[in-house]
């Protein structure tokens, strides 16, 4: 097993520069975070790590369920713990508006407010503003927008974002970044990239709890490799405990998406965690683990559950459709979640019509599916059989190999996995 | 099934129903309540969250209203609603209607009644009703009944017809029951009708008591159907006609004060739709029933709502009927109110439920104002726990001859002390 940030050589696909150089520097000096690399795949860039955060150790690769407003869609914190979830997300924009940072401060942070004993990651609030609020304007000062609650104009600055996140007390905070849609091109992308770097510096200065809360930088640069590289170069000079790959999964071509991901992991320091924002489809998760990412989040598994869509190794089941009315099998016979151990597809089909418990059952299953998938990925990396895992995962997910998405085939080929 | 009455205090019967379930392994203390469900699951709760509660009732109520549309599925499944719904080891009682969603009037005929589920109306003949029971395979079920006497100004003639129809439905049900192997071991509860006509109540009770039924379902006494005094008189007249050794369940009564009034009129069992209605209106039960006068209790009492916010009363209309959550009562607090925004106390201090052990009023308030699903889960857990606690306190009060103390406490709650 590899030692944390040792001088050992990184195996895997073509590093353009020696990441050991960066690893020999100390990981962010005071950060309340430690990354121990447990195993690295000798074929791909995949890695399994123990990420120690203030509230508990997180086994990576990890999927982090999203609890937007300080709650995970009808699931109690005990249920989440029972599913072995070690870290989940809260949204700064929502929580900063309701109930507000002062109140959460009084409740001993978001942990105290929602009664969650494990780790929390909060976003900067910027993304929600750009995506939810039409009238937002970005200036050097920050993001300006009209509150959907009272119509008042609000300015979210990097300092303000960190101030709120300090009140929330999350284990990982995200810098405020200048988000542009991944389909935008031209000078706006470059401007956003440079501004995100300047805002990172302001966020670092604003963090009142560098000994308790980790601040992650967000790599920007759109779909332009030169801008991405420039951003990586600048941001990795900063003493931050971790990095996120941002500005992706916003409707861009998958061909562009995976190339930006793999470029980013090539340049990111080996001894710091890499978080790919907004990614959560099973295929994307497996491919991006192969490309060297450690952490993922997405609202999809929980949102889709509320529409009765259950995730399975061969895709998904739309439980509300008639075909499941008399199907007396569990969602997935191999799934060990509380829903699959007790209930049939037919009962869930009936229950979804008149009782919210139906949604909760599917949510529990979907979270369990995501977490179990990532545990299996991790185990295969540790046991040095990750490439075989990927192959059988793809076989199970698609009826035949000619239905494999081309981008996934190419992305995996770039890290030496040839699908047959 | 055997009802052992250990004590009768001023009309109130304290007892235990023993030998319940197919192998007789369950028992239920009376006065008591059943566990309310929709489509055979407690609203908002998975089995895991439900079982954070202890001392659940041994009997679960399922309703044809929420199961009728799944008849074909249940018939193909063959093992009944308990197994279909993945329920725990519980006795299953199947009622016709959903007490929290009364059916609209005007759909009852000589030969049929209608139930309303998520898929709309299902019209039932006795044959269809019995086929459904065979598919549900309950341990207990009520006979098909014409309960359409709840409206004001229902004529005496209409009431008489309801009693006649219900008795004839009962006879048909009992006849078919014998022929259905799926219902071997199941027991029929006879429905007593009679609206607000005393003679019809007495006739319905007497006639039903002549049939081989396991217990009695007293219909038409739901909240709002008649005044409290009239209900007490009619209930007393009805239960006087019923054999002492069989249980009586009243439909549609859930408020704690009304529960006590019914118990005093000789009722043993209740449905527990009330905590669900309280949950649906974003409220938490908070009335005190401990009968202790320790200082801690005094603090608890002082937390109680002084007034019901005006907007709540208006928002919920005036009759409390329909599928809506109904009117707020004096026994609950309106957690959506902004006064709870910074209230870091549990819903009820000392409450052993999951919500009160883990969360604070401010958090539940936040979940309510942001329309988060967890609000329903946490409130349902608390309200169910609180309601079950009330029934335990009621039985304790009867055992200790302290019913007046308990009533006094509920009355104080009325007055907002
Ligand atoms: Zn499952
Ligand atoms: Zn409670």
């Amino acid at each position: 097993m590899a030692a944390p940030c040792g001088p050992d050589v990184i195996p895997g696909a073509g590093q353009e520069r020696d990441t050991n150089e960066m690893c020999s520097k100390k990981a962010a000096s005071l950060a309340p975070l430690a990354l121990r690399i447990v195993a690295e795949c000798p074929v791909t860039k995949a890695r399994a790590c123990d990420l120690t955060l203030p509230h508990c150790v997180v086994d990576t690769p990890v999927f982090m369920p999203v609890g937007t407003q300080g709650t995970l869609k009808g699931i109690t914190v005990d249920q989440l713990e029972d599913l072995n979830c070690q870290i989940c997300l809260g949204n700064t924009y929502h929580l900063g508006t309701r109930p507000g940072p002062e109140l959460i401060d009084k409740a001993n942070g978001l942990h105290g407010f929602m009664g969650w004993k494990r780790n929390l990651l909060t976003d900067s609030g910027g993304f929600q503003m750009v995506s939810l609020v039409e009238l937002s304007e970005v200036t050097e000062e920050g993001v300006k927008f009209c509150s959907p609650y009272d119509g008042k104009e609000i300015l979210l600055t990097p300092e303000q974002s960190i101030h709120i996140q300090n009140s929330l007390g999350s284990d990982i905070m995200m810098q405020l970044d200048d988000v542009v849609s991944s389909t935008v091109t031209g000078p706006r992308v470059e401007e956003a990239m440079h501004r995100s770097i300047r805002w990172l510096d302001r966020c670092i200065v604003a963090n009142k709890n560098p000994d308790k809360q980790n601040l992650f930088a967000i790599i920007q640069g759109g779909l332009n490799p030169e801008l991405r590289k420039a951003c990586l170069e600048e941001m990795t000079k900063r003493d931050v405990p971790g990095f996120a790959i941002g500005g992706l999964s916003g409707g861009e071509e998958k061909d562009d998406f995976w190339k930006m991901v793999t470029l980013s992991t090539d340049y990111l320091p080996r001894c710091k965690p890499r978080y790919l924002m907004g990614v959560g489809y099973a295929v994307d998760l497996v491919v991006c683990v192969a490309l060297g990412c450690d952490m993922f989040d997405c609202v999809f598994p929980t949102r889709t559950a509320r529409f009765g869509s259950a995730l399975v190794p061969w895709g998904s089941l739309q439980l509300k459709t008639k075909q499941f009315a008399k199907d007396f099998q569990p969602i997935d016979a191999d799934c060990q979640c509380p829903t699959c151990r007790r209930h049939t597809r037919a009962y869930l089909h009936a229950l979804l019509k008149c009782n919210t418990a139906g949604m909760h059952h599917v949510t529990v299953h979907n979270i369990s599916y995501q977490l179990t998938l990532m545990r299996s990925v991790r185990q295969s990396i540790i046991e040095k059989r990750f490439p075989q895992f990927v192959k059988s995962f793809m076989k199970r997910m698609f009826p035949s190999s000619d239905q494999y998405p081309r981008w996934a085939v190419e992305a995996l080929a770039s890290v030496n996995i040839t699908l047959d | 099934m055997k009802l052992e009455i250990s004590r009768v205090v001023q009309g109130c019967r304290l007892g235990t129903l023993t030998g319940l379930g197919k192998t007789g392994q369950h028992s239920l203390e009376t006065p008591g309540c059943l566990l309310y469900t929709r489509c055979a699951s407690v609203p908002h709760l998975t089995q895991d969250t439900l079982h954070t509660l202890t001392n659940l009732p041994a009997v679960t109520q399922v309703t044809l209203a929420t199961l009728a549309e799944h008849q074909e599925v249940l018939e193909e499944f063959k093992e009944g609603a308990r197994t279909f719904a993945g329920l725990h080891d519980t006795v299953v009682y199947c009622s016709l209607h959903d007490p929290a969603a009364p059916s609209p009037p005007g759909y009852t005929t000589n030969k049929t009644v209608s139930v309303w589920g998520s898929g709309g109306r299902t019209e039932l003949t006795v044959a269809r009703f019995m086929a459904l029971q065979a598919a549900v395979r309950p341990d207990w079920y009520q006979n098909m009944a014409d309960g359409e006497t709840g409206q004001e100004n229902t004529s005496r003639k209409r009431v008489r017809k309801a009693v006649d129809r219900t008795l004839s439905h009962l006879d048909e049900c009992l006849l078919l029951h014998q022929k259905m192997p799926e219902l071997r071991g199941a027991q029929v509860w006879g429905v007593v009708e009679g609206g607000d006509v005393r003679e019809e109540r007495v006739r319905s009770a007497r006639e039903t008591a002549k049939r081989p039924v396991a217990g009695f379902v007293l219909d038409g006494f739901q909240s709002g159907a008649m005044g409290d005094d009239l209900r007490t008189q009619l209930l007393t007249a009805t239960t006087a006609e019923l054999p002492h050794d069989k249980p009586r369940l009243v439909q549609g009564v859930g408020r704690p004060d009304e529960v006590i009034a019914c118990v005093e009129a000789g009722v043993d069992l209740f449905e527990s739709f009330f905590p669900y209605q309280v949950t649906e209106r974003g409220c938490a039960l908070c009335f005190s029933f401990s009968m202790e006068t320790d200082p801690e209790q005094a603090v608890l009492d002082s937390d109680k709502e002084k007034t019901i916010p005006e907007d709540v009363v208006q928002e919920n209309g005036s009759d409390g009927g329909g599928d809506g959550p109904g009117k707020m009562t004096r026994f609950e607090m309106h957690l959506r109110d902004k006064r709870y925004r910074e209230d870091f106390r549990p819903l009820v201090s000392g409450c052993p439920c999951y919500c009160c052990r883990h969360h604070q009023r401010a958090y539940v308030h936040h979940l309510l104002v942001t329309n988060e699903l967890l609000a329903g889960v946490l409130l349902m857990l608390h309200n169910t726990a609180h309601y079950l606690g009330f029934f335990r306190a009621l039985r304790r009060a009867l055992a200790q001859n302290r019913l007046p103390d308990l009533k006094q406490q509920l009355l104080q709650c009325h007055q907002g002390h």
Side-chain angles (χ1 to χ4, degrees), chain B residues 351 353 356 382:
Chain B
C351 174
C353 87
C356 292
H382 168 76

Side-chain angles (χ1 to χ4, degrees), chain B residues 181-343:
Chain B
E182 298 91 343
L183 293 171
R184 196 167 300 136
Q187 292 177 307
V188 181
W189 287 49
V191 181
V192 176
E193 297 287 353
D196 55 5
V197 183
R198 189 188 172 102
E199 300 77 58
E200 290 302 322
R201 282 282 165 199
V202 170
R203 181 168 74 93
S204 183
R206 272 188 197 152
E207 287 301 318
T208 309
K210 289 179 189 161
R211 273 74 169 173
V213 294
F216 301 92
V217 173
L218 313 182
D219 190 25
F221 293 107
Q222 65 274 11
S223 300
M226 59 185 74
D228 292 352
D229 290 343
L230 180 58
R231 173 166 55 204
T232 298
Q233 286 166 22
L234 291 172
L235 272 175
T236 309
T238 304
T239 55
E241 301 298 328
L242 300 175
H244 289 282
D245 59 348
K246 288 181 180 177
R248 303 108 180 227
L249 175 134
V250 70
Q251 293 196 133
V253 175
R255 283 171 54 127
D257 52 346
E258 296 182 3
V259 164
I260 291 184
C262 290
V263 168
E264 289 177 309
V267 171
D268 305 309
L269 292 172
F270 299 83
E271 300 158 308
S272 61
F273 62 95
F274 182 66
Y276 168 63
Q277 288 181 323
V278 173
T279 299
E280 293 311 283
R281 54 185 172 245
C283 292
L285 290 174
C286 59
F287 63 99
S288 117
F289 48 69
S290 68
M291 295 181 294
E292 307 302 329
T293 45
D294 59 318
E296 225 174 289
Q297 195 54 48
V299 173
L300 192 94
D301 288 342
S302 72
D303 294 346
K304 210 68 58 49
E305 295 317 288
K306 296 277 185 282
T307 50
I308 299 166
E310 195 61 30
D311 59 315
V312 180
V313 178
Q314 283 173 355
E315 191 178 297
N316 290 317
S318 56
D319 62 5
D323 207 354
K327 257 199 294 187
M328 188 177 159
T329 65
R330 305 165 191 90
F331 306 100
E332 56 205 89
M333 54 178 162
H334 188 236
L335 275 172
R336 204 185 279 268
D337 192 283
K338 59 179 178 298
R339 83 182 77 178
Y340 301 111
R341 213 185 93 86
E342 298 202 13
D343 192 335

Side-chain angles (χ1 to χ4, degrees), chain B residues 33-311:
Chain B
C33 66
L34 317 178
L35 192 64
Y36 172 74
T37 66
R38 288 175 82 90
C39 200
S41 280
V42 177
H44 305 299
L45 304 185
T46 65
Q47 287 285 321
D48 286 346
T49 45
L50 172 65
H51 287 280
T52 61
L53 298 175
T54 50
N55 301 316
L56 289 172
V59 183
T60 301
Q61 175 180 9
V62 302
T63 65
L64 282 195
T66 60
L67 291 176
E69 63 196 274
H70 309 297
Q71 181 175 0
E72 263 185 59
V73 178
L74 284 163
E75 278 168 355
E76 194 164 318
F77 184 68
K78 290 189 172 68
E79 291 170 61
R82 179 181 22 230
T83 310
F84 181 61
L87 295 185
H88 54 287
D89 180 22
T90 174
V91 177
V92 170
Y93 164 69
C94 184
S95 70
L96 184 60
H97 297 293
D98 178 346
S103 305
Y107 294 92
T108 307
T109 69
N110 246 337
K111 295 281 171 208
T112 69
V113 297
S114 287
V115 291
W116 299 78
S118 62
R121 181 168 76 104
T122 307
E123 188 166 61
L124 306 176
T125 57
V126 169
R128 175 94 193 265
F129 175 89
M130 290 303 288
L132 263 165
Q133 295 298 353
V136 172
R137 296 200 182 190
D139 301 289
W140 300 342
Y141 65 99
Q142 63 164 82
N143 66 285
M144 193 168 109
D146 173 4
E148 217 172 286
T149 55
Q151 291 77 244
E152 248 178 290
N153 305 323
T154 303
S155 69
R156 199 169 253 270
K157 197 174 141 208
R158 177 66 184 88
V159 171
R160 196 179 317 126
K161 192 151 80 176
V163 171
D164 290 338
R165 278 177 181 172
T166 301
L167 285 169
S168 113
H169 293 335
L170 174 59
D171 289 334
E172 272 191 80
C173 286
L174 287 168
L175 204 66
L176 284 170
H177 181 95
Q178 301 305 320
K179 299 177 185 160
M180 300 182 120
E182 298 91 343
L183 293 171
R184 196 167 300 136
Q187 292 177 307
V188 181
W189 287 49
V191 181
V192 176
E193 297 287 353
D196 55 5
V197 183
R198 189 188 172 102
E199 300 77 58
E200 290 302 322
R201 282 282 165 199
V202 170
R203 181 168 74 93
S204 183
R206 272 188 197 152
E207 287 301 318
T208 309
K210 289 179 189 161
R211 273 74 169 173
V213 294
F216 301 92
V217 173
L218 313 182
D219 190 25
F221 293 107
Q222 65 274 11
S223 300
M226 59 185 74
D228 292 352
D229 290 343
L230 180 58
R231 173 166 55 204
T232 298
Q233 286 166 22
L234 291 172
L235 272 175
T236 309
T238 304
T239 55
E241 301 298 328
L242 300 175
H244 289 282
D245 59 348
K246 288 181 180 177
R248 303 108 180 227
L249 175 134
V250 70
Q251 293 196 133
V253 175
R255 283 171 54 127
D257 52 346
E258 296 182 3
V259 164
I260 291 184
C262 290
V263 168
E264 289 177 309
V267 171
D268 305 309
L269 292 172
F270 299 83
E271 300 158 308
S272 61
F273 62 95
F274 182 66
Y276 168 63
Q277 288 181 323
V278 173
T279 299
E280 293 311 283
R281 54 185 172 245
C283 292
L285 290 174
C286 59
F287 63 99
S288 117
F289 48 69
S290 68
M291 295 181 294
E292 307 302 329
T293 45
D294 59 318
E296 225 174 289
Q297 195 54 48
V299 173
L300 192 94
D301 288 342
S302 72
D303 294 346
K304 210 68 58 49
E305 295 317 288
K306 296 277 185 282
T307 50
I308 299 166
E310 195 61 30
D311 59 315

Side-chain angles (χ1 to χ4, degrees), chain A residues 331-332 335-337 339-340 365 368:
Chain A
I331 293 171
D332 175 3
C335 179
Q336 295 301 308
C337 87
T339 303
C340 291
H365 167 82
S368 172

Side-chain angles (χ1 to χ4, degrees), chain A residues 213-226:
Chain A
Q213 293 183 269
N214 296 289
L215 174 64
F216 276 30
I218 303 176
I219 307 295
Q220 288 291 348
L223 304 176
N224 181 324
E226 293 315 310

Side-chain angles (χ1 to χ4, degrees), chain B residues 347-348 351-357 381-383 385:
Chain B
L347 303 190
V348 170
C351 174
C353 87
Y354 176 86
C355 176
C356 292
R357 278 185 287 123
L381 285 172
H382 168 76
N383 289 333

